[in-house]
Amino acid sequence: MTNPLLSDWNTPFELPPFDKIEDAHFAPALEEALTRSRANVTAICDASEPTFANTIEALALADAPLDKVLAPFFAMAGADSTPAREALMREFSPKLAAYGTEVTSNAALFARIEDLWSRREDLDLTEEQARVLMLTRRSFVRAGAQLQGEEAARLAEVKQRLSVLGTKFTQNLLADERDWSMPLEDTAGLPEFVLSAARAAGEERGADGSVVTLSRSLIVPFLQFSDRRDLREKAYEAWTARGANGGETDNRAIAAEVLALRAERAALLGYDSFADYKLETEMAKTPEAVRALLMQVWTPAKASAEADAAVLEQMLLADGHAAPLQPWDWRYYSEKRRAAEHDLNEAELKPYLQLDRMIEAAFACAKRLFNLDFAPIDVPLYHPDARAWEVTREGRHMAVFIGDYFARGSKRSGAWCSALRSQQKLAGDIRPHVINVCNFAKPPQGAPALLSYDDARTLFHEFGHALHQMLSDVTYEAISGTSVARDFVELPSQLYEHWLEVPEVLEEFATHAETGEPMPRDLLDRMLGAATYDMGFQTVEYVASAMVDLAFHDGPPPADPMQKQAEVLEELGMPHAIRMRHGTPHFAHVFAGDGYSSGYYSYMWSEVMDADAFEAFEENGGPFDPVMAAKLEEFILSAGGSEEAAVLYEKFRGSMPDATALLKGRGLAA
């Protein structure tokens, strides 16, 4: 039988034929794709005198067979995992790591790259080609291309082991999230939207009744509203114990080994620490710069959180409970305080924040800013919950956008944006296929999906990443879309969140699920007025995670990461009633792979820019100013990694910002 992963895709927009792909197709397709990609690399090495075309451009296309197999596989493995796909992940990870090392340690291939690098001034390259040559050579050097003998062999072993550990960490976390649930026997205090989500979760898991799960979209509102302090504690402790329950799914030993191997990898490459290695290519450049920004924000955030904690503890005492305020109490009393001080509660807001209307809002903003249109298309996708749209501009096909919004046991937690295919022009006018994945609570059959305001922000955030992919306009995939510095990649996503706060957007799209009436202006004003409410708590839990991540990688690796985590938090003076947003055993950003290792700070680094960037709109005609929108597209969204991030931002804004706008935006400015 023909393997669809190895055939031409005569499908709409050349999307993967998900209706024909079976798990059994992946392993033989991967082996054949590796063979073809290896042959492509061999052909490069056997070519005549190195040129940019027969070396750098040929290398950019060499892995096309592999990409064709892996794009649908990773989409399905992350958003709709099965035991078979988990087994394939464990099988594929070391193979792919070995292949990557094989390419970057290919002496003949690197010699060709070095030859071009030495003659770069005489090659008559475009600016984009010069950038790609530099990035290609740098990636080879940082992967160990200049190492030889035992050091090269050891680096290959380290990278292969790290890939195995990252896969195991992710699967352990998914297993803990999938296996835990709590029957919802006492509903005191819970509004209908929480009860509805719990019923749907019970149905999805085949449980006998409603359940609370470890999905953020369900457990957070449970912690906000449940009157049962003992049940809140039980649920919260299960949530924060993910990856630390002992047995086969415990991630603590994995975290320790990962940190030791990363430190060894950095040392083999000549760096003092893994943080020095990792940050070299980012905007921040050094651990000291990262720490300086985080501490600038930590001090006012901690003061704000401690003041809030004192108020919440008084509310706890008034309810007849003993102090101190505990982490499972914070969201409950904070929600009550928000209702009292801002006349605002989640149950009142949610009927106005329908998923479908928020998707329409994200699309409408993209239309006004960038003249993009979105039309639903009926194409086979990897799960019935996923849906797709064709994106066009004045009739020209720009992208396919896929949205997969609901939580399920087969989907890893969190929210992310990925691409089944990235924009490039080297192999023709290739337009991207972009996926946004979220974990919103799925409603019962026939009922509208309702979001929290935080959920709606997540939707806009991920759509900002999608725009970065969809509007990309470069020749080479290596610098396409989100292929930028890690502490720059969050700028488009966090910036796009600001359009959710524009009153005219909410007036049009925040409509009641039952009546269709727009959100009353006084409710809208109260919601926006409370935008910085509880920001001390949110900032403290985030910055604490970023500081622990940095401490793990800036210096010798800790033998006991949990002890190191405790030491960092004690030194910071972490408030008792707040814990890290991501404790070490479930810190997937850092341990599922090294994408955000030493880089969790990047959300805040980007936030410095996004606050400043939105101010640029407000200073120049408002949130839909066409001149600023055109500049945003030209210098940020379409440019990808074609220039250094700071250069691109300065072209957009004129200069780099400081943290003033960030502190102001979070309500933490003095």
Side-chain angles (χ1 to χ4, degrees):
M1 187 173 65
T2 302
N3 190 322
L5 295 166
L6 298 172
S7 308
D8 290 336
W9 292 346
N10 297 313
T11 54
F13 311 105
E14 297 181 339
L15 284 163
F18 286 111
D19 56 336
K20 294 181 172 62
I21 296 173
E22 300 174 4
D23 288 345
H25 291 137
F26 282 115
L30 181 76
E31 292 304 320
E32 176 60 26
L34 283 169
T35 298
R36 294 179 186 180
S37 293
R38 285 189 171 103
N40 291 340
V41 172
T42 299
I44 295 170
C45 296
D46 291 342
S48 56
E49 181 183 354
T51 65
F52 188 84
N54 71 17
T55 301
I56 304 301
E57 290 186 341
L59 185 59
L61 299 173
D63 284 347
L66 205 50
D67 296 338
K68 187 173 181 178
V69 174
L70 293 176
F73 174 72
F74 285 132
M76 296 164 74
D80 191 25
S81 183
T82 64
R85 289 170 198 165
E86 291 186 8
L88 288 170
M89 279 288 289
R90 293 191 293 272
E91 177 187 339
F92 289 0
S93 292
K95 288 184 177 181
L96 293 172
Y99 171 71
T101 300
E102 180 185 318
V103 173
T104 55
S105 61
N106 184 316
L109 180 59
F110 185 59
R112 296 178 69 87
I113 296 170
E114 284 286 70
D115 177 76
L116 292 171
W117 180 249
S118 69
R119 297 187 288 116
R120 60 190 180 279
E121 300 298 335
D122 304 321
L123 297 178
D124 195 26
L125 302 177
T126 66
E127 290 184 7
E128 192 175 326
Q129 289 173 329
R131 173 82 173 160
V132 170
L133 173 59
M134 183 278 290
L135 292 173
T136 303
R137 179 184 182 273
R138 187 174 75 179
S139 69
F140 270 69
V141 171
R142 288 172 56 81
Q146 293 176 319
L147 298 182
Q148 296 179 345
E150 292 183 5
E151 289 185 335
R154 178 55 186 161
L155 183 62
E157 293 173 0
V158 166
K159 289 195 285 188
Q160 197 161 333
R161 179 61 178 163
L162 283 169
S163 73
V164 171
L165 293 173
T167 298
K168 180 62 174 168
F169 189 98
T170 303
Q171 293 186 354
N172 287 347
L173 185 53
L174 179 62
D176 279 4
E177 291 169 349
R178 186 174 53 218
D179 293 346
W180 188 91
S181 65
M182 181 176 73
L184 190 58
E185 297 172 350
D186 190 329
T187 62
L190 298 177
E192 176 55 33
F193 78 84
V194 179
L195 299 175
S196 174
R199 284 193 295 271
E203 291 173 9
E204 194 257 338
R205 293 190 174 220
D208 184 19
S210 302
V211 299
V212 176
T213 69
L214 299 182
S215 169
R216 177 177 283 270
S217 62
L218 180 51
I219 197 166
V220 167
F222 177 81
L223 294 171
Q224 286 176 306
F225 290 104
S226 175
D227 290 338
R228 285 281 301 272
R229 193 185 192 201
D230 58 332
L231 296 183
R232 295 200 311 269
E233 179 181 4
K234 181 180 178 181
Y236 183 86
E237 292 291 19
W239 192 33
T240 55
R242 290 170 295 156
N245 289 304
E248 285 295 310
T249 63
D250 198 295
N251 276 334
R252 287 171 288 191
I254 291 176
E257 187 178 355
V258 165
L259 294 174
L261 290 172
R262 284 178 181 162
E264 184 180 359
R265 176 182 176 184
L268 285 166
L269 293 168
Y271 293 88
D272 291 337
S273 71
F274 186 79
D276 288 311
Y277 162 75
K278 192 68 187 297
L279 294 171
E280 179 185 50
T281 60
E282 309 299 331
M283 294 183 75
K285 299 301 181 191
T286 67
E288 292 73 25
V290 172
R291 193 172 286 107
L293 171 65
L294 293 174
M295 289 308 297
Q296 184 180 356
V297 178
W298 172 262
T299 302
K302 181 187 172 190
S304 175
E306 288 176 334
D308 290 341
V311 174
L312 301 183
E313 187 164 285
Q314 289 303 309
M315 297 171 68
L316 173 81
L317 295 171
D319 273 357
H321 296 297
L325 182 78
Q326 297 289 357
W328 48 88
D329 297 319
W330 190 292
R331 288 175 174 84
Y332 178 75
Y333 286 104
S334 182
E335 181 64 26
K336 287 186 175 296
R337 182 187 178 195
R338 183 170 74 151
E341 294 185 2
H342 294 275
D343 190 20
L344 190 70
N345 66 72
E346 198 78 32
E348 183 182 15
L349 283 177
K350 283 198 103 164
Y352 292 98
L353 299 174
Q354 300 175 68
L355 171 61
D356 286 350
R357 294 293 279 154
M358 291 299 101
I359 293 171
E360 290 176 28
F363 289 174
C365 291
K367 171 65 173 176
R368 291 185 64 180
L369 289 164
F370 311 115
N371 197 24
L372 297 177
D373 292 292
F374 299 80
I377 52 176
D378 183 13
V379 293
L381 297 171
Y382 58 83
H383 192 276
D385 285 346
R387 40 186 158 158
W389 294 262
E390 182 189 8
V391 188
T392 59
R393 175 188 272 165
E394 297 179 348
R396 182 200 172 199
H397 174 74
M398 296 291 289
V400 171
F401 174 67
I402 298 168
D404 179 5
Y405 295 106
F406 295 128
R408 51 182 173 264
S410 62
K411 183 189 288 187
R412 64 180 171 91
S413 60
W416 64 93
C417 177
S418 60
L420 289 169
R421 185 173 82 177
S422 295
Q423 181 272 328
Q424 52 130 319
K425 299 175 186 175
L426 188 59
D429 185 13
I430 305 298
R431 300 308 305 170
H433 303 153
V434 189
I435 308 179
N436 274 179
V437 183
C438 299
N439 269 284
F440 304 143
K442 188 174 183 178
Q445 186 72 30
L450 305 180
L451 306 183
S452 67
Y453 191 61
D454 188 54
D455 288 338
R457 289 178 69 95
T458 297
L459 187 150
F460 268 68
H461 178 101
E462 298 306 332
F463 193 72
H465 282 309
L467 287 171
H468 205 178
Q469 296 274 19
M470 292 189 283
L471 291 171
S472 179
D473 187 23
V474 297
T475 301
Y476 301 98
E477 187 175 342
I479 54 171
S480 172
T482 55
S483 297
V484 298
R486 180 66 64 179
D487 48 11
F488 189 63
V489 77
E490 298 298 337
L491 168 60
S493 54
Q494 293 178 177
L495 176 58
Y496 205 66
E497 293 178 30
H498 289 272
W499 275 275
L500 178 61
E501 302 169 354
V502 175
E504 63 186 280
V505 174
L506 290 166
E507 287 168 353
E508 181 176 358
F509 294 99
T511 56
H512 198 279
E514 294 178 4
T515 68
E517 292 295 313
M519 182 184 288
R521 184 67 201 218
D522 72 306
L523 177 57
L524 189 154
D525 289 342
R526 282 182 277 136
M527 182 178 74
L528 295 178
T532 60
Y533 175 73
D534 216 20
M535 196 55 74
F537 167 85
Q538 294 178 42
T539 307
V540 161
E541 63 165 8
Y542 166 78
V543 174
S545 296
M547 290 293 282
V548 168
D549 166 41
L550 186 65
F552 279 161
H553 297 99
D554 184 22
D560 183 349
M562 299 306 294
Q563 180 182 339
K564 182 67 173 179
Q565 173 183 300
E567 291 170 357
V568 173
L569 297 180
E570 183 177 1
E571 185 177 344
L572 286 171
M574 185 75 169
H576 171 78
I578 307 178
R579 294 186 187 168
M580 294 166 61
R581 181 170 299 175
H582 305 289
T584 295
H586 53 266
F587 206 164
H589 279 80
V590 171
F591 292 105
D594 73 0
Y596 280 91
S597 56
S598 293
Y600 192 63
Y601 77 93
S602 60
Y603 290 94
M604 186 150 282
W605 193 276
S606 292
E607 189 178 341
V608 171
M609 290 179 285
D610 86 63
D612 178 65
F614 195 70
E615 278 194 351
F617 277 87
E618 294 178 323
E619 293 167 3
N620 291 278
F624 293 102
D625 180 72
V627 174
M628 292 308 302
K631 290 180 69 174
L632 178 62
E633 178 174 351
E634 179 182 0
F635 298 122
I636 307 295
L637 298 177
S638 72
S642 57
E643 294 185 79
E644 289 292 324
V647 172
L648 291 172
Y649 190 82
E650 287 175 5
K651 285 184 175 181
F652 164 72
R653 187 64 164 115
S655 62
M656 289 296 295
D658 59 22
T660 302
L662 178 149
L663 292 171
K664 177 182 172 184
R666 285 186 171 238
L668 300 173

